[in-house]
Amino acid sequence: MTAHFRIAIIGSGPAGLSAAAHAASLGLAHVLLEKTGHLSDTIYKYQKGKHVMATPAQLVLRAGGDTPFAAGKRETILGAWDARATELKINVRYNAEVTAIAGTGEAIPGSVQKIVTRKRDGSSATTELQRHAPPYRLTLADGGEILADTVILAIGTQGNPNRLACPGGDSAHVQYQLDDPGEYTDEHIFVIGGGDAGIENALGLAADPAQANVVTLVNRGAEFSTAKDANVKALLAARDAGRISIMTGTTPRLVEPGWIVLDTPDGEVRARADRIIARMGSAPPRGFVEACGIEFTSGDRLAYPKLSPVFETTAPGIFVVGALAGYPLIKHCMNQGHDVVEFINGNRDLKPADEPILEAKFAGLPGRRSVADWLERLRSRVSILGGMSPLQMREFMLDSEARFVPAGEIVFERNTPGSSLFGIVEGEVRVEVDPANPAITVPLAAGSIFGEVGLISGRRRGATIRAGSDCILVEISRGAALKLMSAVPAAGREVTRITTTRSLQQIFKSGLTPDDLAGIIATAKVETVRAGEALIREGEAGDDIFIIRSGSMVVEKLIAGKPVFLNYVPAGSYVGEMAVIDGGPRSATVRAAVKADVIRLEGAAFRALLDAKPELLARLRADMADRTRLNNFIEAKKDSFRGLVDMYTGVANFLVDQGVGEATDVLLIDEKLCVGCDNCEKACADSHDGLSRLDREAGRTYAHLHVPTSCRHCEHPHCMADCPPNAIHRGPTGEVYIDETCIGCGNCQRGCPYGVIRMDKVPPKKPWLLSWLLFGNGPGPGEPPKAWAYKHAKKGVETPKKAIKCDMCAGQSGGPACVRACPTGAAIRVSPEQFLTVALLERGAD
Amino acid sequence: MARAAISRAPVSRAVVRAPRDTAHEGFLTHRRGLWWKVALALSLVVSAAYALIDQSPRPNGGTALGYGLGTLGALLILWLSLLGLRKRIITRGAYSLKAWTSAHVWLGLSLIVVGTLHSGFQFGWNVHTLAWGLMMIVILTGLYGIIVYARLPEQLSANRQEVTQPQMLEAIRALDAHLDNAAQPLGPDDAALVRLSLEKTDIGGSLRQRLGGSYARDGNARALAAVRGEVERQRLAGKPDQRLAQILFLLERKEAALAQARRHIGLKSRLEIWLYIHVPATFALLAALAAHITSVFLYW
Ligand SMILES: Cc1cc2nc3c(=O)[nH]c(=O)nc-3n(C[C@H](O)[C@H](O)[C@H](O)COP(=O)(O)OP(=O)(O)OC[C@H]3O[C@@H](n4cnc5c(N)ncnc54)[C@H](O)[C@@H]3O)c2cc1C
Ligand code: HEM
Ligand code: SF4
Ligand code: SF4
C-alpha cells in the first residue's frame, strides 16, 4: 500500500529541513524527500571549508525544531543539521527524487492551468492542465509513490543538470559534476560543454601535468560564445601548450563502456574515454513546478511562483518556500520552513519573522499604522504596485524603503547616479526640468512614479526632484523594481509608457507636454538591438527616429570603401534625425555597441510634431549641425591622414569590443608609457585592505592601448543580477561597489563577463611602511604574498572569502589610486564619452 | 559602514566626484609641459645671475650668490630624493605621482646648471667635488632612465602580445612536462639531451645575459642544437626517428617560448637596472652633501 502522510516535504535544503524539523517536533505525520544521498545539496556543494554567512543580521532566526544556524564553516553547519535531524527523528528518505505531483481527488472546477513552453526557434506551444484536489500522489524517480494531504516544495533554484541525450548517456562513467579535479590521474577524460563550467573543469583536470590526464573538451558550436573571455583565453592557451585537446562543432553520438563516439565536422570519431563529464548547463526547476499545477507570476525568466500570504500556490495544498519562493538567504529559508508548517497546522495569525524589519522601515512615517496597513496603502495608492499580492508586497518592501519628505526638500539632484525608482504614496513632487532655472517645474501627483530613467538606462538622474508638499515616498531598489516588472507585467508596461513620454520630454525639451507627444507616443515601439546589429544602415531609405533607452551605439560611415568610426552615442540620446529633417537617405550606419533597447518613433508622426513645434525643429537642426561638423572634420582628416583615421577607427572598435560601450568608467593603460612597475596594483592593494582589485598585465591590447582586468562600472552591472543578500550597489559617485553583507557565494564573479571580481580573504595588516624601509619588516608596498599572509594571520580567527572588486576609490580625495600612483601617466580612468572622441585622433599623431 | 550611511541618507545629493586627472599626457609633457618650462626658466635665471652678478674675488660657493645657489641646490636634492618615499606611501590625498615624476625629471636636470655654477668650476680631489660628481652620476643615470622609459615600453608591449609574465612561465613549465613525457621511450644519450634542456635551462639567466640577450650556451639551446643535428643526420641517412623528431619540435617550441620570456625579462631589467645606480648614488650623494656642508661650516 502507498504510504500516506499529512505533509510531504520535497527538498532538504535549509527551507525543507526546517519545515521537516518543525513537523517532527509538532508530531505531525511527515516525510522529507531528498533527491541526493545527503541533506541540503546546495550547501553540500559549496567549496570545502566555505564560511557560510548568516545575513541579514537584523532578522531573528525562527527555525523549525530549533534547527541551529549561525555563521560558520560549511562542515560545522551540515554536521549540526545531520545531528538535529537524527535527534528529532525526522522521517527522511534519501535518493528520492520526486518527478511528478498530481492531485488524486476530484477535478477542481474551473481550475485549469495553461503552460507555455518556448522552443529554441522562438515558437511556443501551450498545454492545458486540469487541477485535481488533494491528496497528492508524488511519483519518485525509482517508480515509488507516496500520498500526502499537503506538499511543501522546497527544491531551491539549482535545477537539474542537462543530461546527455545520446544512447549510453546514463552509463556509469558519465558524471554531471566535478568536486575535486585533483582526484583523477592517468585518465582519458572528455568534458562535454564549452560554457564556463565545462572549461573550468577541463582546465582543472589538466592543470597539473603530474596527474597525466588526457583531457578533451567537446563543444557543440564552433565558438565558445557563452563562456567568459578570460576562460576562453586560458583554454586556448592550454591547448596551445598541448595540455588540452579541443573538439568544436562536435556532439556526442554514443557512449559505450570505456569509449565515446562523437560526430565531428570531419565525420564520426571513436575515442577512449575513462570518464565523461557533461557540463551542458542545467534546466531550471520551472518545468517540473509548472507541471505540478503551479502558476508563475509571468513568463519572465526572473519570475517566481504565485503565492498566497501563507505560501500556498495556485494548486491548493501545495506550498512553496525557500529560494524557489524568491528568498535566497538561508535565514529566510529556515524561517519560512517553520512558518509554512505553522500555517498548515492551522495557525493563521502567525506574524512573519521579518515583521520587525518592516516595522522599522515604516517607523519614521507619520500616522500610526500597522505593517499590513502600510503595505496595503502602498499597494492601493501607487499605480504600478496595484497587481501585487500581500506576500509579494512583503518581499518587495524588504528591498525598498519608505520615507517621509517634508515640503521643499530635495529627493534627488540632477546628475546624481542612482537606479532606484520612486513611487509617490502621498503628496506631490516637483520636477525641476530646466537646470538653469529651478523655478520651472512640472508637478507629479500621488500614485505616479519617478526616477525611471536611472532605472532603465543606468545613467545619472536627469533632473532635480523636490517635494512639492509633505510627501510619503517609496524608494524601490533596482533589484526590487526589476522583480516587480517581471512579476506584474502590467507594471512593466506602465513603466515603459512613462519612460517613453518622459525621455522624449527630456531629450527634446522645448517645453513639450504629454499632450503634444500623445500622437507620436502612439507610434512608439520598444525594440531590442543585439550587440553589433545595425539599427540604421548608411544609404538606405527610412526616416524613423530612435531614442536609446539602454545600451549605447556607435556611428560609422563608409569613407573610401572602409567603415570609419564617427561617434559614440550613449543611452539617453537619439539617432536618425537627419533623415527626418533633410529627407535624404541615411547618411551613416548606427550599430549597437552592446545589447541595447531603443524606442522607435515613426518619421511621419515626428514630422507632424516638428511642424507644430518650430522650437523643436530649431533644436534638432542645431544638434544636427554639430554632428555634421564632426563628420566633415573626420572626412577631411581622412584625405590627409588616412593612417591616422584608420587607427582611430581601429581603437574605437577595439574598445567597443572590450565592453567599453556599457562602461561608465574604465581603466586604460597606454603601453607606450607603461614601464611595468606595477605601482598601480600596489597602490590599489595599499588603499584597499591589502588586496589589489586590478590585474594590470591581463586583458586585451590594441595599438598599445591596453584594457586591463579591472571593473568597468557597467551601466547595467551583470554582477548585480543574482546577489542573494543584494550586497552590490551603485554608490553616490557612480561606482559599483560591494558592501559588507556579501556572503561570498561567488555569483557575481560568475556573472561578470570581464572577470574582474576575485574571491579572497583580507590579509593581516602589514607593519608600518617606515619600519619596512628602515628595518626590512614585512613585505613592503603592495599586496602581501600569500605565504606571508598565511603565516601572519591571526590564529583561530576565521576570515571569510568575500567578493573583492574595484570601488573607484570612492571617498578618496584624489580619485582612483591606480591613476594617482602611476609615475608615467600611462594609467587613466575615463568614461567612454570622454575617451571615444575625436581627441583620440590626436593620439596616433605622435 | 560610512558608505552605508551615505546611501541610506534620506535625500540623495549630487556628491561631487573627486577631481582627477583624465588627461592623456605622459610625464614628460604633464600639464602641457609645465615643468620643463619651469626648469628652463630656472636655469636661465641662474645662468644670467652668474654672468651678471659680480662675484669677487672669484666665483665659488662662498660668495653670496654661491650660498644662494648652494641652498637652492641642496633643497632641490632633498626634494628630489623624496620621490622614493612618495612612490611608496599611498595616501588618500589628491597627489599625482606623474606630476611628481614630471617635476623630478625636469628640476633634476636643472640641477646640472644650479650645482655646477654653485661650484664656480672649482674642482679638486676633495669632498666638495665628490658631492658634485655623485650628483652628476645620479643625474646622468636619471637621464638614461628617461631614455629607456621613452623607448622600451612600446617594445615591452609588442613582445608581450597580450600574454602575462606568469602565463609565459607557465607555458614553459607545460612544455617541460611534455618533454619529460616524450623523453621516456628514448635511449640514454638522447634522454640526456632532454635532461640538459630540463635541468640546465635558466630562464632569466645572469644579469649579463638579461641585458645582453645572449643565451647560446644555455641548456635548451645546446640540447636543441644537438637534437637538430642528430635528426638532420638521420634524415640524410634515411628515415629519422619519429620520437626524436617530436622532441625536436618541443625543443623548438620551448626555445621560442624562452625567447619571448627572456625578451620580456630583459626589457623589464633594462627599465629598472639604472635605478640600482640612481638610488644608491642618491644615498651616497646625501651623505657626501652632508659632509660637504659640515666641512664648509667647520673650516671656512
Ligand atoms: C556558492 C553559494 C554560496 C552561498 N552562500 C550563502 C551564505 O553564506 N549564506 C546564505 O544565507 N546563503 C548563501 N547562499 C544561498 C543559499 O545557499 C540558498 O539560497 C539556499 O540554500 C536555498 O535553500 P532552499 O532550501 O530553498 O533550497 P536548496 O538549498 O537549494 O535545497 C534544495 C534541495 O532540494 C533537493 N531537490 C531538488 N529537486 C528535488 C526533487 N525533485 N526531489 C527531491 N529533492 C529535490 C536538492 O537536492 C536540495 O538538497 C549561497 C549559495 C551558493 C550557490
Ligand atoms: C640629484 C638629483 C636626483 C636625485 C637625488 C634623484 C633621486 C631619485 C630617487 C630617490 C628616486 C626614487 C627611485 C625609487 O624609489 O624607485 C628617483 C627616481 C627617478 N628619477 Fe631621480 N633623482 C635625481 C635626478 C634625476 C634626473 C635628472 C632624472 C631625469 C633626467 C631623474 C629621473 C628619475 C626617474 C625617471 C625616476 C623613476 C621614477 C619612477 O619610476 O617612479 N632623476 N630619483
Ligand atoms: S564587476 Fe563586472 S559586471 Fe560588475 S560593474 Fe564591474 S565590469 Fe560590470
Ligand atoms: S557580492 Fe558577490 S559573492 Fe558577495 S554575496 Fe553578492 S553575489 Fe555573492
Side-chain angles (χ1 to χ4, degrees):
Chain A
M1 205 196 85
T2 316
H4 191 146
F5 297 95
R6 167 111 187 256
I7 307 178
I9 300 138
I10 309 179
S12 67
L17 180 67
S18 163
H22 199 50
S25 62
L26 292 177
L28 304 176
H30 69 280
V31 63
L32 174 60
L33 301 168
E34 169 54 47
K35 177 170 76 176
T36 63
H38 42 256
L39 292 179
S40 201
D41 188 49
T42 301
I43 296 176
Y44 186 88
K45 278 196 209 138
Y46 291 179
Q47 215 175 12
K48 290 200 184 83
K50 177 182 182 318
H51 183 87
V52 181
M53 274 159 264
T55 42
Q58 330 83 293
L59 183 64
V60 290
L61 181 68
R62 191 157 79 186
D66 288 327
T67 310
F69 175 62
K73 267 206 177 9
R74 157 192 176 273
E75 288 73 13
T76 319
I77 290 167
L78 290 176
W81 287 358
D82 281 336
R84 192 71 191 135
T86 318
E87 254 163 53
L88 289 169
K89 303 205 173 64
I90 295 179
N91 179 23
V92 194
R93 282 210 207 159
Y94 292 110
N95 304 315
E97 177 177 359
V98 177
T99 53
I101 306 175
T104 54
E106 278 149 29
I108 306 172
S111 185
V112 174
Q113 187 187 0
K114 290 198 173 64
I115 302 175
V116 183
T117 35
R118 283 204 176 68
K119 302 210 185 76
R120 259 179 188 273
D121 59 9
S123 68
S124 60
T126 307
T127 41
E128 296 202 342
L129 184 84
Q130 168 65 51
R131 293 197 189 87
H132 288 257
Y136 286 100
R137 177 185 301 113
L138 282 55
T139 312
L140 304 182
D142 63 9
E145 281 182 0
I146 282 172
L147 281 178
D149 299 336
T150 50
V151 177
I152 300 175
L153 207 53
I155 57 173
T157 48
Q158 302 284 332
N160 285 320
N162 289 330
R163 310 228 144 216
L164 270 190
C166 64
D170 48 2
S171 311
H173 63 301
V174 178
Q175 66 191 56
Y176 293 92
Q177 213 202 327
L178 175 69
D179 291 327
D180 179 7
E183 225 176 285
Y184 311 113
T185 51
D186 275 324
E187 290 193 5
H188 287 245
I189 304 178
F190 275 83
V191 178
I192 319 281
D196 284 314
I199 295 181
E200 280 163 20
N201 282 181
L203 288 173
L205 288 163
D208 185 0
Q211 280 174 241
N213 290 319
V214 180
V215 183
T216 309
L217 184 98
V218 176
N219 190 33
R220 179 172 48 191
E223 271 164 58
F224 299 90
S225 51
T226 59
K228 270 191 267 189
D229 222 38
N231 272 336
V232 178
K233 272 199 90 180
L235 176 71
L236 298 181
R239 179 197 61 190
D240 294 341
R243 284 185 286 139
I244 284 184
S245 315
I246 301 180
M247 301 175 80
T248 52
T250 299
T251 45
R253 151 180 296 209
L254 173 69
V255 175
E256 300 164 359
W259 294 87
I260 185 167
V261 182
L262 299 148
D263 276 332
T264 77
D266 310 322
E268 196 180 287
V269 169
R270 182 165 187 270
R272 191 177 141 199
D274 304 317
R275 186 175 303 278
I276 297 170
I277 300 176
R279 299 307 300 259
M280 303 169 303
S282 48
R286 180 165 178 153
F288 165 67
V289 177
E290 280 185 323
C292 302
I294 298 170
E295 207 173 297
F296 278 65
T297 50
S298 75
D300 197 283
R301 203 175 49 84
L302 289 171
Y304 292 102
K306 261 191 196 163
L307 298 179
S308 76
V310 297
F311 303 108
E312 191 163 8
T313 64
T314 48
I318 304 188
F319 297 76
V320 166
V321 287
L324 181 63
Y327 292 82
L329 289 173
I330 296 172
K331 255 188 177 177
H332 283 145
C333 293
M334 297 187 77
N335 288 350
Q336 292 179 352
H338 165 276
D339 294 358
V340 74
V341 171
E342 280 291 310
F343 293 141
I344 292 172
N345 204 29
N347 177 359
R348 296 260 150 177
D349 308 322
L350 180 73
K351 285 238 186 303
D354 52 25
E355 188 82 0
I357 299 183
L358 293 181
E359 264 165 16
K361 292 205 178 214
F362 292 116
L365 303 188
R368 299 164 65 81
R369 294 173 199 278
S370 69
V371 168
D373 271 4
W374 270 120
L375 290 176
E376 176 52 24
R377 206 170 163 79
L378 260 50
R379 194 194 66 77
S380 58
R381 296 235 167 166
V382 179
S383 62
I384 57 167
L385 301 181
M388 302 253 270
S389 72
L391 188 69
Q392 282 173 323
M393 279 304 293
R394 291 195 88 88
E395 190 203 335
F396 161 83
M397 208 48 219
L398 284 177
D399 291 338
S400 307
E401 298 297 329
R403 64 165 73 135
F404 171 76
V405 185
E409 203 153 302
I410 291 176
V411 180
F412 57 68
E413 280 184 354
R414 200 176 124 79
N415 279 340
T416 340
S419 53
S420 52
L421 181 69
F422 288 80
I424 310 173
V425 186
E426 280 171 24
E428 70 159 29
V429 299
R430 303 197 143 260
V431 189
E432 295 176 6
V433 283
D434 184 353
N437 184 357
I440 305 180
T441 59
V442 174
L444 289 178
S448 56
I449 56 167
F450 59 93
E452 72 295 334
V453 176
L455 171 72
I456 302 291
S457 71
R459 301 227 138 212
R460 289 165 186 262
R461 304 290 193 194
T464 297
I465 308 260
R466 205 183 277 277
S469 62
D470 287 358
C471 317
I472 293 178
L473 304 178
V474 53
E475 176 171 4
I476 310 168
S477 70
R478 180 178 138 83
L482 294 181
K483 262 192 209 164
L484 165 68
M485 291 198 286
S486 89
V488 186
R493 280 194 297 275
E494 174 81 357
V495 171
T496 305
R497 192 188 59 75
I498 295 175
T499 43
T500 309
T501 316
R502 298 227 183 113
S503 51
L504 282 172
Q505 283 174 301
Q506 226 174 55
I507 292 173
F508 297 125
K509 313 229 167 40
S510 316
L512 296 174
T513 64
D515 289 342
D516 296 332
L517 293 172
I520 186 155
I521 296 284
T523 75
K525 273 201 286 285
V526 175
E527 294 174 9
T528 301
V529 196
R530 274 178 291 120
E533 200 180 322
L535 181 64
I536 292 176
R537 278 205 178 73
E538 184 176 351
E540 282 185 1
D543 59 358
D544 290 352
I545 186 164
F546 300 89
I547 292 178
I548 305 163
R549 267 179 107 210
S550 69
S552 58
M553 300 276 160
V554 291
V555 185
E556 52 192 32
K557 190 172 173 64
L558 277 181
I559 302 182
K562 271 197 219 158
V564 167
F565 175 86
L566 290 184
N567 203 4
Y568 166 85
V569 192
S573 330
Y574 59 89
V575 290
E577 79 291 358
M578 293 196 187
V580 188
I581 297 177
D582 62 20
R586 300 293 192 185
S587 64
T589 297
V590 180
R591 199 180 286 289
V594 288
K595 176 169 166 262
D597 273 357
V598 298
I599 304 170
R600 177 194 286 272
L601 304 170
E602 261 172 31
F606 199 76
R607 245 192 315 273
L609 182 68
L610 285 182
D611 290 344
K613 292 272 165 186
E615 315 91 278
L616 179 58
L617 183 62
R619 209 192 144 74
L620 284 191
R621 277 195 196 284
D623 284 357
M624 184 171 130
D626 275 349
R627 290 183 177 180
T628 315
R629 223 184 344 266
L630 177 79
N631 297 1
N632 293 345
F633 172 73
I634 290 177
E635 267 182 79
K637 278 258 174 193
K638 177 80 189 178
D639 295 333
S640 41
F641 302 102
R642 164 170 309 238
L644 215 61
V645 174
D646 287 346
M647 172 72 85
Y648 168 60
T649 302
V651 168
N653 289 340
F654 161 72
L655 288 176
V656 165
D657 279 348
Q658 290 312 298
V660 170
E662 60 175 330
T664 63
D665 202 280
V666 59
L667 178 62
L668 300 174
I669 292 186
D670 184 345
E671 290 203 335
K672 284 185 183 167
L673 288 172
C674 171
V675 294
C677 64
D678 277 336
N679 228 37
C680 44
E681 281 187 22
K682 291 178 193 148
C684 182
D686 280 354
S687 49
H688 296 92
D689 308 325
L691 290 174
S692 169
R693 289 110 213 279
L694 109 94
D695 186 341
R696 176 190 56 85
E697 269 194 324
R700 309 293 313 265
T701 312
Y702 178 86
H704 302 294
L705 193 63
H706 179 63
V707 186
T709 300
S710 164
C711 179
R712 289 130 165 84
H713 302 278
C714 303
E715 281 170 352
H716 292 287
H718 310 271
C719 53
M720 269 188 201
D722 191 15
C723 172
N726 262 329
I728 311 183
H729 314 274
R730 191 177 286 284
T733 49
E735 74 281 4
V736 174
Y737 72 95
I738 302 181
D739 71 21
E740 67 290 341
T741 62
C742 165
I743 54 173
C745 67
N747 282 356
C748 54
Q749 188 189 35
R750 284 183 286 274
C752 169
Y754 307 110
V756 308
I757 299 186
R758 59 187 281 202
M759 309 297 301
D760 227 316
K761 300 179 179 191
V762 173
K765 270 231 161 348
K766 292 183 294 193
W768 202 42
L769 182 76
L770 261 187
S771 88
W772 170 77
L773 273 176
L774 299 176
F775 312 112
N777 285 336
E783 187 169 320
K786 281 268 171 292
W788 184 89
Y790 184 75
K791 191 159 152 235
H792 291 83
K794 271 214 193 76
K795 298 286 168 281
V797 187
E798 212 195 315
T799 21
K801 274 194 183 172
K802 292 195 174 192
I804 306 284
K805 72 175 280 300
C806 167
D807 62 356
M808 233 149 84
C809 291
Q812 301 195 24
S813 53
C818 46
V819 176
R820 270 182 288 150
C822 174
T824 64
I828 49 174
R829 236 189 194 289
V830 285
S831 68
E833 298 102 294
Q834 253 170 348
F835 198 76
L836 279 177
T837 62
V838 273
L840 205 56
L841 259 178
E842 263 92 70
R843 177 178 178 270
D846 46 51
Chain B
M1 276 284 130
R3 185 82 75 103
I6 298 177
S7 61
R8 295 201 192 109
V11 297
S12 79
R13 298 210 184 275
V15 179
V16 188
R17 179 187 272 191
R20 54 158 110 145
D21 182 5
T22 51
H24 185 189
E25 283 172 328
F27 65 106
L28 291 177
T29 53
H30 177 66
R31 297 200 37 201
R32 301 168 179 268
L34 173 68
W35 289 108
W36 71 254
K37 291 176 194 158
V38 170
L40 185 67
L42 180 71
S43 305
L44 289 176
V45 169
V46 166
S47 308
Y50 187 84
L52 298 179
I53 296 177
D54 171 42
Q55 305 181 71
S56 22
R58 52 155 304 158
N60 67 21
T63 65
L65 180 66
Y67 271 117
L69 291 180
T71 315
L72 177 65
L75 289 178
L76 270 178
I77 289 177
L78 283 181
W79 181 80
L80 289 166
S81 310
L82 287 179
L83 181 65
L85 279 181
R86 173 73 282 178
K87 191 171 168 184
R88 292 180 178 82
I89 304 178
I90 314 290
T91 55
R92 320 198 120 220
Y95 71 93
S96 148
L97 195 61
K98 168 168 85 163
W100 273 70
T101 320
S102 186
H104 179 93
V105 163
W106 294 114
L107 292 180
L109 283 175
S110 74
L111 254 184
I112 304 182
V113 177
V114 175
T116 310
L117 294 185
H118 163 71
S119 78
F121 300 98
Q122 289 195 348
F123 300 117
W125 293 106
N126 54 31
V127 67
H128 318 298
T129 303
L130 173 67
W132 180 86
L134 284 168
M135 181 190 83
M136 290 309 291
I137 293 181
V138 175
I139 294 178
L140 291 178
T141 49
L143 197 61
Y144 172 79
I146 55 168
I147 295 174
V148 293
Y149 272 27
R151 295 187 42 219
L152 301 192
E154 220 169 314
Q155 299 176 26
L156 187 72
S157 164
N159 175 60
R160 222 160 59 71
Q161 298 192 335
E162 304 191 338
V163 178
T164 66
Q165 181 169 326
Q167 284 168 347
M168 290 180 202
L169 302 182
E170 174 58 33
I172 295 172
R173 256 197 304 279
L175 283 167
D176 275 352
H178 281 293
L179 273 171
D180 197 21
N181 259 337
Q184 296 310 324
L186 297 183
D189 288 353
D190 292 340
L193 285 178
V194 173
R195 264 210 313 284
L196 187 62
S197 162
L198 292 183
E199 291 162 12
K200 292 281 183 302
T201 299
D202 184 353
I203 300 180
S206 66
L207 184 62
R208 211 186 148 130
Q209 285 175 310
R210 285 183 194 203
L211 297 180
S214 156
Y215 293 85
R217 299 300 314 143
D218 183 68
N220 194 65
R222 271 155 50 207
L224 177 60
V227 172
R228 186 178 283 146
E230 174 90 21
V231 171
E232 203 47 40
R233 249 192 316 285
Q234 290 177 358
R235 205 194 312 280
L236 292 178
K239 197 162 137 340
D241 179 353
Q242 270 315 301
R243 291 170 306 189
L244 203 59
Q246 171 68 11
I247 296 280
L248 176 61
F249 169 69
L250 288 171
L251 288 175
E252 276 168 348
R253 272 176 61 186
K254 182 168 166 188
E255 193 61 21
L258 279 170
Q260 185 191 25
R262 284 168 172 164
R263 269 194 306 273
H264 184 75
I265 294 168
L267 286 166
K268 281 189 81 166
S269 306
R270 283 160 68 192
L271 278 167
E272 56 179 42
I273 181 82
W274 63 277
L275 276 169
Y276 288 90
I277 306 175
H278 196 71
V279 177
T282 298
F283 282 108
L285 168 62
L286 289 176
L289 195 63
H292 158 67
I293 295 171
T294 332
S295 71
V296 163
F297 283 104
L298 281 184
Y299 304 113
W300 208 261

